[in-house]
Amino acid sequence: MPCPSPGRTALVPVILLLGLVGTPPAQAEEVSGPTATVSGPIPVTADSYPFMSADGPEVSPIEEGDPIEVDLAAHGYVEQEYLLEGTAALHSPEGGEVVGEAPYVTRMVVRRPVSPRDFSGTTFLEWNNVSFGQDIEIDWFLSNDYFMDEGHVWVGLSAQRVGVDALRPWDTERYADLHVGGPELADAPAFDIYSQTARTLRSPVGVDPLPGFDVSTIIATGHSQSARYLSDYHNRIHPHHEIIDAFMIHGAPTALVEGRTPVMRLMAETDVRSRAESEETDTAYFRRWEVAGTAHVGRTEYLTFAPLIARENPGTTPQTCDRPPLTRVPFHHVLNAAYDHLITWVEEDVAPPVAPRLEWEDATTASRDEHGNRLGGIRLVEHEVATALNHGNNTGDPFCFLMGTYVPFEEETLQDLYPRRSGYVAQVLRTVNQAQRDGHIRPEDASESRRAALEADYPWW
């Protein structure tokens, strides 16, 4: 993820955040096939808990609004953290041949149903994002309610050196043994660590992190920089092993090689920089969806992870943007639907629907309506029946360009658009129902959008 963090420390060059340049250092043609050895779960105490734990100490509100807290127990879920130990194959960045190996010890966080009876059979393996210099579980923050409502297992893996190196000083006892290679290796071990972790979820060595769980489907997911790494994994390593059943490439434009494993690329408005990108072709094993009015990081995920970052790094402060940040269009509703489609694609061989792309005036100029809202793409009711400007871009502090813009319409504009409640309600219902029929949102999220929109109350009605 590119994490618009609430803090101003540990920043990286923003060009890395969107995965716009460069490729990860490990570009393998084949990898070895061992499985990591699992130990744990690591004990939790009042003073020692998993980094960014959903079950950790309470979080405090941040400047942008109340935190969105996750209640695992209410969903019948448990959080456990395990150590993974093994030897990762290293590969030449040029030819892909194995040029060495490196021992590693890293960690994964598992959030799962308490009872195997409640398990759906699907496990999501997230490549934790390290753009902020620490592990961020962006897809968990976006879709945790979906994962738990459906009985899926979510696993967050610390694959990259930046994240692992930050864990050791954060808790010098809990994470004392973690290492995934030194600077000279860059992230070369990360790809084989990911493969070994995926195998571990089906055939564990040592402690079983999913006792009694029969894992039928593994979906790789990751946001922004993590999606860039997963793209490289998909292109160069996956064809030789096919451990992963489907890929969610979320928020990164990195090129993908056509294969025979389902892949979805899901892009916020922020992420699509040109008409040429929007013309990427859907195929038998690939779908690209673009969501109008959404930002690389929106309000839902920000209000979930920013308080946790502040809890783990006291003294951090919110970004200061030139316009009010954090779009309100619920990108995660589309992500949830996309996850459902991936599972159906794997299990029933039914591909997701093709979705409309964002519209362009010319090669790099976005098409917008008279209010500044983006035209084309997947259009949720919060954007199509607009009560505000939801724009994918912003300026200001370094991460502001990823956080989008939210500016409520003036009362005069709202009254002109929606003079009668009945007309507004009709538009809301028609738009939500169409998005559901098109397969862009799930029934559960459609109900939430209807309820939220219909709570609007203006004095002239």
Side-chain angles (χ1 to χ4, degrees):
M1 143 190 135
C3 198
S5 107
R8 305 170 194 247
T9 58
L11 300 182
V12 297
V14 294
I15 194 67
L16 293 178
L17 301 179
L18 285 170
L20 297 177
V21 298
T23 56
Q27 299 182 350
E29 294 299 332
E30 60 178 353
V31 297
S32 58
T35 298
T37 299
V38 184
S39 60
I42 308 173
V44 174
T45 68
D47 298 321
S48 180
Y49 55 86
F51 182 73
M52 302 290 274
S53 170
D55 271 347
E58 291 186 4
V59 297
S60 301
I62 58 172
E63 188 174 290
E64 298 294 342
D66 292 333
I68 299 174
E69 298 193 59
V70 178
D71 191 341
L72 297 177
H75 287 83
Y77 266 62
V78 65
E79 173 185 88
Q80 295 176 316
E81 184 178 40
Y82 295 87
L83 295 179
L84 299 165
E85 184 173 3
T87 301
L90 309 176
H91 307 270
S92 164
E94 293 78 25
E97 66 276 7
V98 176
V99 295
E101 59 183 27
Y104 71 88
V105 179
T106 191
R107 61 119 194 191
M108 66 177 177
V109 174
V110 176
R111 299 185 182 120
R112 62 169 176 82
V114 172
S115 171
R117 295 190 302 273
D118 298 323
F119 177 43
S120 67
T122 296
T123 294
F124 289 83
L125 178 55
E126 180 163 358
W127 186 306
N128 287 344
N129 185 278
V130 298
S131 292
F132 180 52
Q134 297 174 307
D135 275 2
I136 305 293
E137 307 161 348
I138 189 64
D139 285 342
W140 165 261
F141 295 136
L142 277 164
S143 294
N144 56 79
D145 280 343
Y146 162 76
F147 295 142
M148 293 188 290
D149 288 345
E150 295 300 311
H152 302 322
V153 167
W154 175 91
V155 177
L157 174 65
S158 298
Q160 291 179 245
R161 183 176 60 84
V162 169
V164 169
D165 286 355
L167 288 169
R168 289 194 302 273
W170 185 79
D171 189 328
T172 55
E173 293 186 9
R174 187 177 191 87
Y175 298 128
D177 296 330
L178 267 55
H179 63 91
V180 291
E184 73 282 358
L185 296 178
D187 284 323
F191 295 89
D192 201 26
I193 291 172
Y194 194 83
S195 292
Q196 292 187 31
T197 303
R199 292 190 189 95
T200 291
L201 298 176
R202 286 194 170 108
S203 302
V205 173
V207 173
D208 187 349
L210 297 173
F213 287 62
D214 183 11
V215 177
S216 59
T217 300
I218 297 178
I219 294 179
T221 189
H223 183 235
S224 193
Q225 184 185 145
S226 296
R228 180 169 62 93
Y229 275 70
L230 280 179
S231 298
D232 192 62
Y233 180 91
H234 166 272
N235 293 345
R236 298 179 177 274
I237 298 174
H238 173 71
H240 301 283
H241 303 275
E242 298 189 344
I243 306 164
I244 302 298
D245 297 298
F247 288 82
M248 173 58 70
I249 305 299
H250 170 205
T254 320
L256 291 163
V257 174
E258 176 72 0
R260 297 180 60 83
T261 298
V263 181
M264 290 194 74
R265 190 195 301 279
L266 188 57
M267 305 290 273
E269 180 184 315
T270 311
D271 304 326
V272 188
R273 299 294 177 174
S274 70
R275 173 184 286 166
E277 289 182 24
S278 282
E279 293 173 347
E280 186 175 30
T281 304
D282 292 310
T283 70
Y285 294 96
F286 175 77
R287 289 290 185 272
R288 179 189 178 100
W289 284 8
E290 301 173 353
V291 189
T294 58
H296 195 71
V297 173
R299 184 172 186 269
T300 296
E301 61 269 38
Y302 184 82
L303 292 185
T304 308
F305 73 70
L308 291 173
I309 292 177
R311 183 189 71 187
E312 315 303 34
N313 301 277
T316 54
T317 56
Q319 296 273 288
T320 300
C321 302
D322 293 333
R323 294 191 290 177
L326 303 173
T327 54
R328 303 300 199 267
V329 179
F331 181 90
H332 63 290
H333 287 181
V334 182
L335 180 61
N336 296 345
Y339 281 144
D340 262 4
H341 284 300
L342 276 178
I343 295 169
T344 301
W345 208 352
V346 170
E347 296 180 354
E348 302 177 25
D349 197 27
V350 176
V354 171
R357 306 292 174 80
L358 295 170
E359 296 178 6
W360 297 86
E361 294 289 340
D362 56 37
T364 58
T365 304
S367 296
R368 298 188 179 277
D369 65 17
E370 65 272 26
H371 306 292
N373 281 322
R374 191 69 187 270
L375 298 175
I378 292 175
R379 308 181 64 77
L380 300 184
V381 67
E382 294 83 358
H383 188 72
E384 180 68 10
V385 189
T387 59
L389 168 67
N390 282 284
H391 195 295
N393 298 325
N394 207 330
T395 54
D397 282 350
F399 286 105
C400 287
F401 85 104
L402 301 174
M403 300 171 72
T405 298
Y406 172 75
V407 181
F409 290 161
E410 298 288 342
E411 182 173 314
E412 182 179 356
T413 300
L414 288 170
Q415 190 167 4
D416 287 343
L417 288 171
Y418 313 114
R420 295 179 178 82
R421 183 179 181 84
S422 59
Y424 172 77
V425 169
Q427 289 186 57
V428 166
L429 296 179
R430 182 168 58 249
T431 303
V432 173
N433 293 343
Q434 186 62 54
Q436 184 177 332
R437 285 194 297 270
D438 290 342
H440 299 152
I441 55 173
R442 305 164 66 246
E444 298 85 345
D445 292 328
S447 295
E448 181 180 323
S449 284
R450 290 188 195 97
R451 182 172 58 254
L454 296 176
E455 286 176 355
D457 186 21
Y458 298 115
W460 57 89
W461 286 347

